[in-house]
Amino acid sequence: MDDRVASAIAHWAPRFTTNGVTVSDFERATAGLERWTDWCERWSAVAAEHEALGRGALDEGRLVSAGEHLSQAAVYFHFAKFVFVEDLDQMREAHRRAVSCLDAALPYLRPPGRRVVMPFEGAALVGVLRSPAGPGPHPTVLMIPGLDSTKEELRSTEDTFLARNLATFSVDGPGQGEAEYDLPIRGDWSGPAQALWDALSEQPEVDESRLCIWGVSLGGYYAPRVAAALGERAKACVSLSGSFNFGDCWDQLPDLTRATLRVRSGAADDAGARAVADTLSLEKHAADIIAPLLLVVGRQDRLIPWQQSERLRQATGGHVDLLMLEEGNHGCANVAPWHRPFTADWLAARLTWE
């Protein structure tokens, strides 16, 4: 087996199955997969099966089933491309189909979703807004994915928040998803933070006085940067497996992760990518975070060591709660029941009141 295939399976298998891939499909997609160059094609083929189920259900008027199948297909297409920078044409086609499937699913999700496009620096940021049942406006969770995740991956986490009457707004920021082709990865998220705030303030479903930020992996770095930029406008923040200084983690990152950052930052080589990683630092910004902060950390994280969160805990300017999961891996997908409900309850307690 290609070392890159082995690495993807070893690092991220629980993430796949926690975020919408069935165990049997994961086993089927990876069985006998020896070459990394075949990864995107193999996963796209399995994704296409679920897309066909969804399109068929849509044609027959079985709308709930259509939403379920198509949103699942979107996750599969996403995992076809997530760190597949081997062939950018293949990657982009898989991503196009992920976006297409989710867009088709949004009206039929429970609760439904709505696409929001935000002009930004001559390009666009794109988000998905979902609101719980009942009259709004609702307290809202701004959800930021990581280096290799996108809004298409976040359905299962959204559902945990929605069940607690929190609206969700999952966004592709610079270097992510629909924005990754025009806007490279950046350390400074003050501009995106303001653009997201402006867009959310215009949505009638959103109570902008009760806004929090959640981020995972590199999104766990972006979320505190957004909280620092928004100041008192951010009511709470969650960093799941986030870094304090991403550059400090560079030498232990998988080759796939480093290659992905190189492509999505626009760097010419590994040294240039490392230079970009060094700009992803909270050192000068942590003290500006005044919102309550929850740090969710896996002690077994092989990508972002738990000590990174300890540095943020010591440097932040506000109240911090730390949830250390002794068996947790990167993103803690292997121990999701031990943090997802707790995180949603923690946010709901800070965002909901009569």
Side-chain angles (χ1 to χ4, degrees):
M1 180 183 290
D2 187 318
D3 287 345
R4 291 170 295 178
V5 175
S7 176
I9 293 171
H11 285 292
W12 295 299
R15 170 181 162 189
F16 281 52
T17 56
T18 298
N19 289 337
V21 175
T22 67
V23 173
S24 59
D25 277 344
F26 182 84
E27 293 173 347
R28 183 161 61 98
T30 57
L33 183 59
E34 296 184 353
R35 301 186 307 169
W36 178 246
T37 52
D38 297 330
W39 178 276
C40 188
E41 182 179 3
R42 176 73 68 86
W43 275 98
S44 293
V46 179
E49 297 174 8
H50 290 274
E51 181 181 15
L53 289 171
R55 302 290 182 189
L58 198 60
D59 290 342
E60 296 169 5
R62 296 184 290 110
L63 302 183
V64 173
S65 294
E68 292 172 348
H69 289 307
L70 288 167
S71 62
Q72 189 168 33
V75 173
Y76 285 51
F77 278 121
H78 161 70
F79 282 126
K81 63 82 64 175
F82 78 128
V83 290
F84 189 81
V85 295
E86 180 87 6
D87 181 331
L88 297 185
D89 290 336
Q90 273 196 72
M91 183 200 77
R92 193 159 189 160
E93 174 60 15
H95 183 214
R96 183 193 68 78
R97 295 183 71 176
V99 172
S100 174
C101 285
L102 182 59
D103 284 352
L106 288 178
Y108 313 115
L109 298 180
R110 295 293 183 268
R114 179 164 63 82
R115 181 179 173 88
V116 178
V117 179
M118 299 152 278
F120 183 74
E121 295 185 358
L125 307 178
V126 182
V128 168
L129 178 63
R130 298 175 70 196
S131 301
H138 304 282
T140 301
V141 185
L142 169 60
M143 300 180 65
I144 306 176
L147 169 64
D148 54 52
S149 54
T150 66
K151 64 187 184 305
E152 284 73 33
E153 190 184 339
L154 299 181
R155 294 294 79 65
S156 61
T157 309
E158 289 173 1
D159 289 342
T160 309
F161 297 138
L162 288 159
R164 289 154 179 83
N165 294 315
L166 306 177
T168 60
F169 188 62
S170 299
V171 66
D172 288 337
Q176 299 172 317
E178 293 190 66
E180 71 185 65
Y181 310 106
D182 301 309
L183 299 167
I185 288 172
R186 64 179 69 189
D188 183 3
W189 264 57
S190 56
Q194 186 60 49
L196 293 168
W197 169 264
D198 291 343
L200 284 167
S201 298
E202 295 173 354
Q203 309 308 315
E205 304 95 326
V206 172
D207 181 353
E208 68 268 25
S209 71
R210 293 186 287 172
L211 175 69
C212 72
I213 308 101
W214 173 96
V216 58
S217 190
L218 192 55
Y221 159 79
Y222 295 141
R225 282 297 302 259
V226 171
L230 294 182
E232 294 181 352
R233 293 174 289 178
K235 302 307 179 187
C237 179
V238 178
S239 172
L240 170 57
S241 296
S243 60
F244 184 79
N245 185 311
F246 196 69
D248 289 348
C249 308
W250 187 255
D251 291 338
Q252 67 195 60
L253 294 174
D255 289 344
L256 289 169
T257 299
R258 288 162 42 161
T260 301
L261 189 139
R262 175 182 55 77
V263 170
R264 292 178 186 156
S265 67
D269 52 27
D270 190 78
R274 170 63 188 266
V276 173
D278 286 335
T279 70
L280 302 169
S281 174
L282 287 161
E283 185 172 358
K284 297 180 180 179
H285 308 280
D288 296 330
I289 303 170
I290 58 177
L293 179 62
L294 173 63
L295 304 176
V296 182
V297 189
R299 199 179 292 275
Q300 307 307 316
D301 191 334
R302 292 181 288 172
L303 279 70
I304 307 296
W306 63 267
Q307 291 90 343
Q308 289 278 308
S309 291
E310 180 61 26
R311 290 174 67 184
L312 178 55
R313 186 187 68 82
Q314 294 177 6
T316 189
H319 174 81
V320 183
D321 289 325
L322 176 67
L323 178 60
M324 177 68 73
L325 299 168
E326 296 297 328
E327 301 302 320
N329 63 8
H330 183 62
C332 297
N334 65 322
V335 288
W338 281 265
H339 69 91
R340 282 192 178 178
F342 178 88
T343 296
D345 292 341
W346 187 91
L347 285 176
R350 286 153 182 80
L351 293 179
T352 57
W353 56 81
E354 296 296 331

